[in-house]
Amino acid sequence: MIDVSKLGMKRGGDAVKLSGLLELVGVSESAQYIGLHAAADNFHASVPLDPIRDTALLIYRRDNAPLEFKAGGPYRFYIPNHAACHMDEIDECANVKFVDHIEFTAAKGFDNRPTDDEEHEKLHQHDH
């Protein structure tokens, strides 16, 4: 997908669809979760695959260059309209920046996203 800003994202960039990535790497049918890991800020999310399979994106470049760190690189995982999933496991924090490792698992994996409003607010204070 060229220019994700067409989806209403504040930032632009080019992405690959999660469905295409799953097909390309030949993910096992037993995989039920995608684990997104970002060592840069020690952030980890384990997200159910089925609800996001056809909508999620992995942003990998901007202006024909690798996605810069300040833009969330090396890879930025994005779920357009994450609220439409109507699941606690899929919230705005499932949009992970600085992704450097992805895994597919049969059960929920390591996930250190905030679990309450106070933790969530602290996390997003660092974004500004």
Side-chain angles (χ1 to χ4, degrees):
M1 168 174 251
I2 304 299
D3 191 11
V4 295
S5 68
K6 295 174 186 173
L7 297 173
M9 276 192 71
K10 294 176 187 171
R11 297 172 182 90
D14 301 335
V16 62
K17 291 182 178 183
L18 177 58
S19 58
L21 180 64
L22 294 171
E23 187 177 320
L24 181 67
V25 299
V27 172
S28 168
E29 289 184 21
S30 66
Q32 299 298 309
Y33 285 82
I34 182 171
L36 304 156
H37 304 283
D41 61 357
N42 191 30
F43 193 80
H44 309 272
S46 184
V47 182
L49 271 173
D50 282 343
I52 63 169
R53 182 180 305 271
D54 296 325
T55 58
L57 305 166
L58 190 64
I59 304 167
Y60 65 95
R61 73 177 177 195
R62 190 159 96 190
D63 300 324
N64 289 320
L67 192 63
E68 295 180 14
F69 184 80
K70 67 181 180 182
Y75 303 100
R76 186 177 192 127
F77 190 79
Y78 180 66
I79 305 167
N81 196 11
H82 59 82
C85 296
H86 302 291
M87 295 182 72
D88 289 340
E89 291 180 296
I90 302 173
D91 59 10
E92 67 183 300
C93 291
N95 293 322
V96 180
K97 54 188 173 182
F98 315 127
V99 173
D100 56 25
H101 180 80
I102 296 174
E103 65 181 335
F104 298 97
T105 57
K108 185 174 176 92
F110 183 60
D111 191 323
N112 67 353
R113 289 181 286 169
T115 55
D116 63 36
D117 291 340
E118 186 177 328
E119 288 180 19
H120 187 260
E121 184 63 31
K122 282 183 192 175
L123 176 70
H124 288 284
Q125 284 177 350
H126 296 347
D127 288 346
H128 302 296

